[in-house]
Amino acid sequence: MKKLFSLISLFLLCLCGMAAEDVTTMAEMYHIYPYAEAPGQTGSSSEILLIMKNRTAIATWSCTLELPEGVTFSSVSADIEDGRYPEGYNAEITHTQNEAGNVVTLTCHGTEGVSLTGTDGAVAVVTVDVAKSVTPGDYEVVVSNILLE
């Protein structure tokens, strides 16, 4: 029987040099955070949704995901069922990753002149592979280097 593995997400805000007293304002305005809808199983793949909260129009976004030990990046998709991307945006997500596959930087570009409006919702589905050697438990996915333009 396969053991369950779950990802508990931790998000970090892009503070862009803001003072500590401005953190609440930034949290309300802009961030990207991961969400694992269902626990994964060791020795299989699991999906993590990246949710973006933005209060102004965004043309591009990027961030870095740091995955727990034993969890590696497999793929990323912008095929979101809730229609987060506007008609004509044509989201193209590229990625770079370290050799171990546990740190990946994602960048999304759309069609020039079309932007995401200020709403909340999923912007990417990240598929990860969970090694058989991972001990079942709760793990953090850290999101950093968030850039929303």
Side-chain angles (χ1 to χ4, degrees):
M1 176 181 288
K2 292 184 178 180
K3 296 181 181 179
L4 291 180
F5 164 86
S6 65
L7 292 171
I8 298 279
S9 55
L10 171 71
F11 63 90
L12 297 178
L13 303 177
C14 175
L15 301 180
C16 305
M18 301 290 284
E21 58 270 16
D22 294 326
V23 171
T24 302
T25 304
M26 289 299 292
E28 292 170 357
M29 294 179 62
Y30 306 101
H31 63 268
I32 294 177
Y33 59 95
Y35 175 71
E37 205 165 69
Q41 294 184 323
T42 58
S44 67
S45 61
S46 183
E47 291 184 343
I48 302 169
L49 290 178
L50 283 185
I51 311 292
M52 182 168 67
K53 182 177 190 175
N54 61 297
R55 291 288 169 240
T56 60
I58 302 295
T60 63
W61 62 266
S62 65
C63 66
T64 299
L65 297 180
E66 297 174 44
L67 303 169
E69 187 174 333
V71 178
T72 55
F73 173 80
S74 177
S75 65
V76 62
S77 171
D79 294 331
I80 308 299
E81 293 178 15
D82 68 0
R84 174 68 171 110
Y85 291 105
E87 187 175 331
Y89 185 81
N90 301 324
E92 181 182 328
I93 301 176
T94 57
H95 72 278
T96 57
Q97 64 189 50
N98 68 349
E99 192 172 313
N102 67 332
V103 178
V104 60
T105 299
L106 305 171
T107 303
C108 180
H109 296 278
T111 306
E112 189 174 331
V114 182
S115 59
L116 299 170
T117 55
T119 59
D120 301 342
V123 291
V125 178
V126 177
T127 303
V128 295
D129 294 323
V130 182
K132 287 183 179 182
S133 60
V134 172
T135 303
D138 294 334
Y139 292 84
E140 294 178 343
V141 174
V142 177
V143 180
S144 61
N145 303 319
I146 299 168
L147 181 61
L148 306 176
E149 298 182 294

